[in-house]
């Protein structure tokens, strides 16, 4: 593979995370407007977004096998067609069933691109370089989380229809589509001997701890971010722009944290770092839901974003280091567990909000972060990443 192709595929990975971040994160911003559009209660409308999360889950789960059958370039081209159809469906239909189908298709497209993006980074880079590259890639998820709530707030403040937010998100896939046409992808049809070795090697109990941590982290994070706008407006007396600013503060800080930790992780043990960060994030989240001072929320969100930034990608990196040779199926398994957390976001938090309000949902997400801390702590006793041959310094 040429260096030109490596750079091009890396940028596809960057944009794949930006796409998924944009699709998932704007939900909290547009939820109330879409509920009004369909004349449904917000809590009931939130359940419809389960189709989006289910689409992501199905795509990530199946793509562990489909990547070896359908060429990656062909998948991305097909994804572009699906993206165009989904956005057109959202813009032209006033039917709830069509909306649900379009959300599912958006989820499938996001899942396909994110799983391809993750695989490309783990395939192109090794050892600690893989960890820092994954962090930088995931920073595009948070970059989208910074930019698109601002775009969504601007669109909604000007009384434009909510579906223009998704049309703007579609521009990211245009970039992916153009890049996919310009560069050569690795061929995965016939497994190399090194891949076969990775598949035969036992994963170990550490993968179980990492999978639980990935699920609880994503469920906790997206549940928290999804209901912060509602909590800020209903419980803390903020307007929609201020609430969107809180979400933007979180993702801006998250992005900066990723850039910082992509350098820091080169020098420290990833298991110890992720354990400390999970503890700090849990404490900050509890402070947020316990604080009665609205002016403090901004600073807590900035701190929380920074401390949360390296957790998920470090979990994936540690997973890839549980075998001597990186296994695409192992990486996809942990990614799938995280995606289950995405799918369960409104299934779990929606009923809590309906019965007890957004504050109760935020307390639940704090408990999920505490579980992440416990799993990362337990991992320290069983992780294979320190064994000879598992971690390269490159």
């Amino acid at each position: 593979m040429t260096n030109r192709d490596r750079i091009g595929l890396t940028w596809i990975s960057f944009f794949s995370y930006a796409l998924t971040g944009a699709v998932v994160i704007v939900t909290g911003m547009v939820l109330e407007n879409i509920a009004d559009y369909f004349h449904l209660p917000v809590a009931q409308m939130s359940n419809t977004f389960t189709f989006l999360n289910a689409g992501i889950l199905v795509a990530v789960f199946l793509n562990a096998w489909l990547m070896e059958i359908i060429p990656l370039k062909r998948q991305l081209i097909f994804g572009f067609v699906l993206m165009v159809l989904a956005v057109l469906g959202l813009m032209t239909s006033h039917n709830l069933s069509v909306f649900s189908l379009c959300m599912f298709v958006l989820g499938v497209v996001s899942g396909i691109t994110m799983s391809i993006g993750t695989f490309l980074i783990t395939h192109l880079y090794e050892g600690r370089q893989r960890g820092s590259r994954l962090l930088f890639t995931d920073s595009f998820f948070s970059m989208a989380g910074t930019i698109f709530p601002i775009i969504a707030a601007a669109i909604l403040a000007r009384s434009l229809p909510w579906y223009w937010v998704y049309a703007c998100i579609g521009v990211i896939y245009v970039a992916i589509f153009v890049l996919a046409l310009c560069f050569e992808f690795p061929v995965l049809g016939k497994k190399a001997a090194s891949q076969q070795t990775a598949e035969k090697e036992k994963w170990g109990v550490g993968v179980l701890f990492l999978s639980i941590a990935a699920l609880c982290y994503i469920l906790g994070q997206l549940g928290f971010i999804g209901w912060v706008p509602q909590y800020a407006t209903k419980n803390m007396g903020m307007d929609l722009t201020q609430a969107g600013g809180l979400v933007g503060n979180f993702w801006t800080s998250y992005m900066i944290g990723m850039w910082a930790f992509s350098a820091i992780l080169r020098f420290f043990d990833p298991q110890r770092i992720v354990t400390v960060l999970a503890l700090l994030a849990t404490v900050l989240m509890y402070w947020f839901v316990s604080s009665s001072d609205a002016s403090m929320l901004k600073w807590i969100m900035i701190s929380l974003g920074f401390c949360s930034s390296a957790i998920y990608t470090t979990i994936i990196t540690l997973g890839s280091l549980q075998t001597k040779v990186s296994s695409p199926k192992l990486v996809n398994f942990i990614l799938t567990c995280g995606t289950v957390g995405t799918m369960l976001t409104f299934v779990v938090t929606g009923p809590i909000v309906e019965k007890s309000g957004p504050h109760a949902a935020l307390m639940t997400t704090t408990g999920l972060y505490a579980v992440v801390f416990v799993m990362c702590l337990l991992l320290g006793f069983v992780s294979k990443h320190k064994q000879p041959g598992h971690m390269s310094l490159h």
Side-chain angles (χ1 to χ4, degrees):
M1 179 177 290
T2 66
N3 193 52
R4 177 181 176 275
D5 287 331
R6 184 190 297 267
I7 293 170
L9 296 181
T10 302
W11 273 100
I12 287 175
S13 298
F14 293 164
F15 285 127
S16 72
Y17 269 69
L19 178 77
T20 306
V23 168
V24 171
I25 292 162
V26 297
T27 301
M29 294 295 297
V30 299
L31 184 56
E32 199 162 353
N33 292 78
I34 296 174
D36 291 341
Y37 185 76
F38 287 104
H39 308 295
L40 290 172
V42 171
Q44 187 179 338
M45 192 69 222
S46 70
N47 293 329
T48 312
F49 282 90
T50 303
F51 288 97
L52 170 70
N53 301 329
I56 296 174
L57 174 62
V58 168
V60 170
F61 180 74
L62 292 180
N63 224 29
W65 289 270
L66 289 178
M67 279 193 289
E68 295 175 1
I69 301 169
I70 304 172
L72 302 182
K73 180 179 287 193
R74 194 177 300 167
Q75 285 195 42
L76 292 175
I77 292 170
F78 181 62
F80 177 73
V81 175
L82 289 178
M83 186 78 181
V84 171
L85 292 175
V87 172
L88 287 175
L90 291 176
M91 297 179 80
T92 57
S93 175
H94 203 301
N95 184 288
L96 189 60
S97 298
V98 174
F99 173 84
S100 301
L101 177 61
C102 291
M103 282 290 122
F104 180 79
V105 171
L106 281 177
V108 168
V109 171
S110 300
I112 288 171
T113 53
M114 187 172 69
S115 65
I116 290 174
T118 306
F119 168 74
L120 287 174
I121 294 297
T122 57
H123 183 79
L124 297 173
Y125 302 96
E126 295 182 355
R128 287 183 178 175
Q129 190 179 17
R130 182 190 301 154
S132 64
R133 290 287 180 177
L134 270 173
L135 269 172
F136 195 78
T137 303
D138 206 9
S139 73
F140 279 76
F141 187 103
S142 51
M143 195 182 299
T146 301
I147 295 168
F148 278 90
I150 296 170
I151 292 173
I155 288 172
L156 299 176
R158 287 164 175 75
S159 301
L160 292 170
W162 55 266
Y163 48 70
W164 282 108
V165 176
Y166 290 97
C168 291
I169 292 170
V171 174
I172 299 174
Y173 210 103
V174 174
I176 294 172
F177 177 68
V178 171
L179 287 169
L181 295 177
C182 295
F183 297 99
E184 292 301 316
F185 288 76
V187 179
L188 305 176
K190 295 180 179 179
K191 292 184 179 180
S194 61
Q195 286 179 307
Q196 292 175 346
T197 302
E199 299 306 330
K200 289 177 183 176
E201 192 176 348
K202 290 184 178 179
W203 292 358
V205 71
V207 174
L208 174 63
F209 293 150
L210 288 165
S211 302
I212 295 170
L215 191 155
C216 291
Y217 174 77
I218 295 297
L219 176 56
Q221 183 194 75
L222 296 183
F224 183 80
I225 293 300
W227 293 110
V228 156
Q230 286 279 310
Y231 175 74
T233 53
K234 306 297 183 190
N235 295 54
M236 304 301 288
M238 295 182 173
D239 59 33
L240 186 61
T241 303
Q242 290 173 313
L246 284 179
V247 176
N249 289 334
F250 176 89
W251 290 114
T252 302
S253 177
Y254 196 95
M255 178 175 60
I256 294 168
M258 283 182 160
W259 292 340
F261 283 110
S262 65
I264 293 169
L265 270 175
R266 293 173 181 265
F267 306 103
F268 295 97
D269 177 60
Q271 184 272 327
R272 290 181 182 176
I273 281 197
V274 76
T275 304
V276 171
L277 291 178
L279 176 61
L280 289 173
T282 304
V283 172
L284 286 165
M285 194 177 278
Y286 181 75
W287 186 11
F288 183 93
V289 297
S290 303
S291 178
S292 56
D293 183 3
S295 63
M296 278 301 298
L297 298 187
K298 173 185 175 181
W299 302 108
I300 298 171
M301 285 294 271
I302 289 171
S303 303
L304 178 61
F306 187 85
C307 290
S308 297
S309 61
I311 294 175
Y312 188 54
T313 42
T314 306
I315 287 170
I316 294 173
T317 302
L318 282 166
S320 72
L321 295 169
Q322 297 305 304
T323 54
K324 289 182 180 179
V325 179
S326 177
S327 164
K329 283 190 172 62
L330 192 158
V331 172
N332 244 54
F333 176 71
I334 294 175
L335 197 63
T336 299
C337 291
T339 311
V340 170
T342 305
M343 189 192 74
L344 293 176
T345 298
F346 291 109
V347 175
V348 172
T349 61
I352 295 171
V353 171
E354 197 167 11
K355 290 180 182 178
S356 307
H359 182 264
L362 298 188
M363 286 298 293
T364 303
T365 60
T366 306
L368 290 166
Y369 262 47
V371 174
V372 176
F373 164 68
V374 173
M375 290 298 108
C376 292
L377 190 65
L378 291 175
L379 178 70
F381 299 101
V382 297
S383 181
K384 296 180 181 180
H385 73 281
K386 288 184 179 179
Q387 293 179 9
H390 284 255
M391 177 172 271
S392 166
L393 295 177
H394 298 295

